[in-house]
Amino acid sequence: MTTPQPPTAPREPHEHVEHGTVRPDAYHWMSGRGDAADPRFLDYLRAERAFHDDAVGHLVPLSSSLLAEMVARLPETDTTAPWRRSGSWYYSRVLPGSDYPQLVRRIHAIETGSKQDSVEHHRIDDGIRLGPNVNPEMAPEMAPEVGSADGAAPEEVVLDVAALAEGVDYLELGVTLVSPDERLLAYSVDTDGDEVYELRFRDLTTGEDLDEVVPRSYYGGAWSADSRWFFYTVHDDAYRPHQVWRHRLGTPVDEDVLVLTEPDQRFELHLRASRSGRAVLVLAESRDTGESWFLDAEDPTAPPRSIGGRRRGVVYRAEHVPDGTPHGHLLVVTDDDAPELRLVRAPVPPATGQDHTSWTLARPEDPSERLERVDAFAGHLVLSLRSEQGHVLRVLAAEGPHADLTAPGTLLTSAFDGGYLRLGRNPWFDEPAPLVVDQSRTQPPVASRVSLASGDLTEVHREAAPGHDPQDYVTERRTFTGNDGVPVPATLVRHRDTPLDGSAPCHLWAYGAYEYTFEAEWDASLPALLDRGVVHVHAHVRGGGEGGRRWWQDGHLAHKQHTFDDLLTVADGLAGDLPGTTPLVDGARLATRGLSAGGLLQGAVLSRRPERWRAVVAEVPFVDVVTTMLDASIPLTVNEWDEWGDPHLPDQHAWMLAYSPYDNLPPAGHRPDLLVTGALHDPRVMVHEPAKWVAALRHTDPAWSPRCLFRVEVGAGSHAGPSGREGALAYEADVHAWVLDRLGVTA
């Protein structure tokens, strides 16, 4: 049988010259994305997708089997925990046979009054799963409305996302925010995957959308306290959210008012409402500097006021706390003179704003804990922290005789090995028992109510996963020490029957950028690998946030090489190739995978040690590092110089050029099988980056080139892949099928 042959990309002479260095770039002609793409480039991308589909045709039965297993682990009716507003319970659900949720509400009989409503930004399919086994003792007022038809108030579908998705190939929600008076819904939709959201407003009395439509908006939004105004963000041509606008309901959108603009291209604007409902908080942030503004939700036309000014190298984020005074006060999480962050108290700023000299220390930095955020409830605070125990919560009394914000408080940790505990959705400031969620990679989410007074947890729901038994799997933490003496942690997940004796194949995953941590969340697709004897390993490499702020600082800018060192250290340790180690997995059957910045990581380790890997999956990889970071017109360039470096500067150009995968191709021969992904409408990694890299790799090793596949979404599709519940799993099934085939696991 003839082996399918990949398309050959035309080569055109082009050279980049920076700081006396000449960089040939024969694929510079590849340019544009979406409707702006060069027609020749579009033809090439279509040919690449056709080659990919042809090359993996023999895997369709395996992929279909994997998808059936994944879908079978989803409950037929998937319902989230309800969150309470002043007049109704809200929850979302996915009905049998549907790929998208509905936002639903039921009116409750609880008296409204002094309680303030929340207008937090959320997506309606976030939150805690809730099935019929709600504990009525913890939420007696909830049981009649959700999970029982007896005495239930009428159910109302606020937004049917499946209906919005009819006739489109892709759909993603941006905001879904109910107004404080619960008469209006602000919602936004992206139907291409380019993260440009059309913002609409729905009258919940009639179920009809209002005439006013904002054609271009971004993530984030907030209502005014009187439900008459809505604040939203807009991004520029480089996809940088740079403006906050205010819309008055019932007026044309061309009369909307610009509230705040951020001229510095290194900064992005983010917008949210406080839990108190009395403040709208705006954050301008680069990678290492931030400034926050206070907008009065009760006086929405008042100008924004700075909470602490802007100082290079200082980041801070605020939470509003009502305290019986006319304006309340603010709690601020900041890295000002505190690498792992500390908590300070600040007054609500006056009309002229304020700087950091108005702040007072509330809780000093603990070098062993990375303080991530503070959530205020009546009488208590909940701190979200990262420590050696993983992601944990610390509850502090904020009022009364035990109000000491420096006290140890009550520490809440995950009940599962390698688990992830977080706050759930808790809109009410007065909530005495907020919802918390505990889960792991093999444990579906468990929702509990935590008493803020005692710290006691009462379970209210476990997400169903039909046919899945978490006890069949084992999760453990190992560390591997590289040449620089730094121990690199890794989380190993396997089926209980899979030994760690050097015989099992391994699926290795890593990210390592932006101080971001991919948490240990339940993944309905993962057991498909584990049940086939594959060991899944998450390498917690430097550049990510697993080890706190210092772990990130030691893996970005001039230290970026540490990210690549760490992944190779973990791989060598797993294979027993480090001094003092014995094989845990089969070193000849290692597959490594990463997304975006994690795709850059895959490209870098492919170039460094191609013989180490049996297979590499580089999803939407950021691989043409120097060229991209020199082009300020490309989205996410200028505001990422503080993460990667600015190649206009000679020293930074040198360190970036040293690892850029497009400029450092692996030698021909002994290359592993490679699967690369991309999306035509992706605003985060331009599709020409993976396309150029694939073309260059194939040109430099023609004999190997059929083993290099480029799965590109040439229609609608986003940075993270297809949309919809089953659409996302179908993508995972395809990738898993390819990985299993490369590892020699075909059953």
Side-chain angles (χ1 to χ4, degrees):
M1 184 174 66
T2 303
T3 302
Q5 294 299 308
T8 300
R11 293 172 58 84
E12 297 180 358
H14 185 86
E15 290 182 342
H16 303 282
V17 181
E18 307 100 18
H19 313 298
T21 299
V22 178
R23 293 188 299 120
D25 186 357
Y27 303 105
H28 184 70
W29 65 269
M30 295 183 181
S31 63
R33 62 181 185 82
D35 296 335
D38 185 318
R40 293 184 303 158
F41 186 33
L42 286 174
D43 289 341
Y44 170 71
L45 294 179
R46 294 188 188 102
E48 281 286 7
R49 182 55 190 257
F51 169 67
H52 166 273
D53 293 348
D54 190 19
V56 300
H58 67 291
L59 296 177
V60 170
L62 176 58
S63 178
S64 298
S65 178
L66 293 172
L67 178 59
E69 293 177 23
M70 296 172 186
V71 172
R73 293 187 188 94
L74 300 177
E76 188 175 12
T77 299
D78 198 3
T79 307
T80 68
W83 57 95
R84 186 171 64 189
R85 304 291 303 260
S86 61
S88 302
W89 287 105
Y90 292 80
Y91 50 99
S92 68
R93 67 180 178 201
V94 179
L95 297 176
S98 179
D99 215 17
Y100 294 93
Q102 295 176 330
L103 175 60
V104 183
R105 71 177 177 183
R106 291 184 188 273
I107 297 172
H108 62 66
I110 296 174
E111 291 293 327
T112 61
S114 62
K115 292 187 176 182
Q116 296 294 324
D117 196 23
S118 167
V119 285
E120 291 180 308
H121 170 220
H122 59 269
R123 288 167 50 180
I124 73 172
D125 54 347
D126 287 342
I128 320 313
R129 310 290 183 189
L130 185 72
N133 53 335
V134 176
N135 183 340
E137 294 181 357
M138 273 307 291
E141 73 277 18
M142 181 191 307
E145 283 85 23
V146 181
S148 170
D150 297 335
E155 185 178 71
E156 176 184 348
V157 176
V158 174
L159 185 68
D160 187 349
V161 184
L164 299 177
E166 291 179 2
V168 298
D169 296 328
Y170 177 93
L171 185 133
E172 193 69 43
L173 290 174
V175 298
T176 50
L177 297 170
V178 177
S179 62
D181 64 11
E182 303 190 59
R183 296 180 180 178
L184 296 165
L185 172 73
Y187 73 96
S188 60
V189 174
D190 167 21
T191 56
D192 287 322
D194 59 0
E195 300 182 52
V196 176
Y197 290 87
E198 182 181 82
L199 175 64
R200 291 181 172 271
F201 303 93
R202 177 162 295 186
D203 184 330
L204 297 184
T205 303
T206 65
E208 300 294 326
D209 287 345
L210 304 184
D211 291 336
E212 54 249 48
V213 177
V214 178
R216 184 182 180 94
S217 69
Y218 203 56
Y219 304 106
W223 288 95
S224 63
D226 63 6
S227 304
R228 297 171 61 191
W229 307 83
F230 188 78
F231 297 89
Y232 61 93
T233 55
V234 170
H235 41 5
D236 59 17
D237 291 339
Y239 286 76
R240 179 179 68 95
H242 70 131
Q243 292 178 336
V244 173
W245 288 77
R246 184 179 68 239
H247 173 71
R248 181 166 184 171
L249 274 294
T251 66
V253 296
D254 58 10
E255 297 178 4
D256 288 1
V257 176
L258 177 62
V259 176
L260 187 67
T261 190
E262 176 52 63
D264 192 328
Q265 291 182 305
R266 297 172 301 168
F267 287 76
E268 296 182 349
L269 291 179
H270 306 278
L271 169 68
R272 69 177 181 88
S274 67
R275 179 176 282 105
S276 70
R278 293 170 56 185
V280 175
L281 300 167
V282 181
L283 172 65
E285 199 166 76
S286 69
R287 295 297 164 209
D288 65 354
T289 303
E291 181 175 10
S292 293
W293 283 272
F294 177 93
L295 290 170
D296 191 339
E298 297 175 316
D299 186 9
T301 62
R305 317 172 215 167
S306 181
I307 292 171
R310 184 177 303 189
R311 290 175 290 155
R312 178 69 177 174
V314 175
V315 175
Y316 64 96
R317 299 178 180 182
E319 169 80 322
H320 180 251
V321 185
D323 57 11
T325 65
H327 303 294
H329 67 276
L330 300 167
L331 288 171
V332 178
V333 173
T334 179
D335 64 355
D336 183 16
D337 198 30
E340 300 302 336
L341 288 80
R342 60 178 179 160
L343 187 66
V344 301
R345 181 182 176 123
V348 170
T352 55
Q354 63 193 17
D355 62 23
H356 70 285
T357 59
S358 62
W359 298 353
T360 56
L361 181 64
R363 185 182 179 91
E365 174 197 22
D366 181 346
S368 68
E369 293 182 339
R370 164 64 159 92
L371 176 58
E372 292 187 340
R373 59 179 288 169
V374 59
D375 284 88
F377 296 90
H380 289 84
L381 305 179
V382 179
L383 306 181
S384 295
L385 306 160
R386 186 165 301 284
S387 70
E388 290 185 0
Q389 297 166 289
H391 194 276
V392 300
L393 303 175
R394 192 179 295 278
V395 180
L396 304 175
E399 294 178 2
H402 303 292
D404 178 5
L405 299 191
T406 65
T410 302
L411 186 66
L412 306 176
T413 62
S414 175
F416 309 116
D417 293 336
Y420 168 43
L421 180 72
R422 64 173 176 85
L423 274 175
R425 184 177 301 161
N426 297 285
W428 284 97
F429 179 77
D430 294 348
E431 178 61 71
L435 200 69
V436 297
V437 190
D438 198 4
Q439 62 188 304
S440 74
R441 289 173 178 83
T442 58
Q443 171 62 59
V446 177
S448 301
R449 293 282 176 185
V450 56
S451 168
L452 294 177
S454 67
D456 293 338
L457 290 170
T458 301
E459 183 179 319
V460 295
H461 174 69
R462 285 179 178 254
E463 178 180 335
H468 175 77
D469 184 355
Q471 299 304 313
D472 289 341
Y473 307 94
V474 177
T475 300
E476 56 189 279
R477 178 69 65 94
R478 299 288 182 103
T479 59
F480 305 93
T481 302
N483 293 331
D484 64 356
V486 175
V488 183
T491 300
L492 283 64
V493 188
R494 59 187 169 91
H495 193 279
R496 189 171 296 280
D497 296 336
T498 301
L500 290 179
D501 61 0
S503 63
C506 179
H507 177 259
L508 183 58
W509 196 94
Y511 184 70
Y514 305 114
E515 201 187 351
Y516 187 78
T517 300
F518 281 83
E519 302 289 2
E521 297 180 326
W522 157 243
D523 180 358
S525 73
L526 184 58
L529 293 180
L530 305 181
D531 291 349
R532 288 167 172 79
V534 178
V535 178
H536 172 77
V537 179
H538 183 174
H540 305 294
V541 298
R542 280 173 282 185
E546 292 91 333
R549 175 59 59 89
R550 293 176 179 86
W551 199 245
W552 166 62
Q553 291 172 336
D554 202 23
H556 84 314
L557 294 176
H559 303 295
K560 190 61 197 171
Q561 294 282 1
H562 289 161
T563 304
F564 318 137
D565 295 340
D566 287 355
L567 183 57
L568 290 167
T569 292
V570 172
D572 289 343
L574 291 166
D577 293 337
L578 289 180
T581 62
T582 57
L584 300 176
V585 303
D586 183 352
R589 291 194 293 165
L590 277 174
T592 181
R593 180 181 178 184
L595 169 81
S596 193
L600 161 64
L601 172 56
Q602 305 313 312
V605 298
L606 170 65
S607 294
R608 275 205 199 178
R609 299 266 302 281
E611 75 286 351
R612 173 77 278 176
W613 316 107
R614 180 64 188 87
V616 175
V617 181
E619 298 174 273
V620 290
F622 169 46
V623 284
D624 192 8
V625 178
V626 176
T627 307
T628 292
M629 298 308 291
L630 281 166
D631 188 350
S633 69
I634 291 178
L636 306 178
T637 290
V638 176
N639 60 337
E640 297 210 350
W641 284 340
D642 292 332
E643 176 71 25
W644 307 105
D646 180 357
H648 297 94
L649 305 175
D651 59 334
Q652 300 188 23
H653 176 273
W655 81 51
M656 298 167 74
L657 184 60
Y659 68 74
S660 173
Y662 185 64
D663 299 293
N664 295 274
L665 301 176
H670 306 293
R671 292 181 181 179
D673 295 317
L674 176 64
L675 174 62
V676 182
T677 72
L680 182 61
H681 293 279
D682 186 353
R684 297 183 178 272
V685 175
M686 303 295 98
V687 70
H688 62 256
E689 287 203 49
K692 290 171 60 177
W693 186 48
V694 165
L697 285 166
R698 290 217 189 100
H699 175 75
T700 55
D701 196 343
W704 166 84
S705 63
R707 294 164 53 198
C708 175
L709 304 184
F710 184 25
R711 175 185 170 134
V712 58
E713 306 298 334
V714 293
S718 75
H719 185 66
S723 67
R725 185 172 70 158
E726 191 165 330
L729 288 179
Y731 170 82
E732 287 299 310
D734 289 347
V735 175
H736 283 355
W738 184 85
V739 169
L740 288 168
D741 184 60
R742 299 301 88 196
L743 293 177
V745 182
T746 57

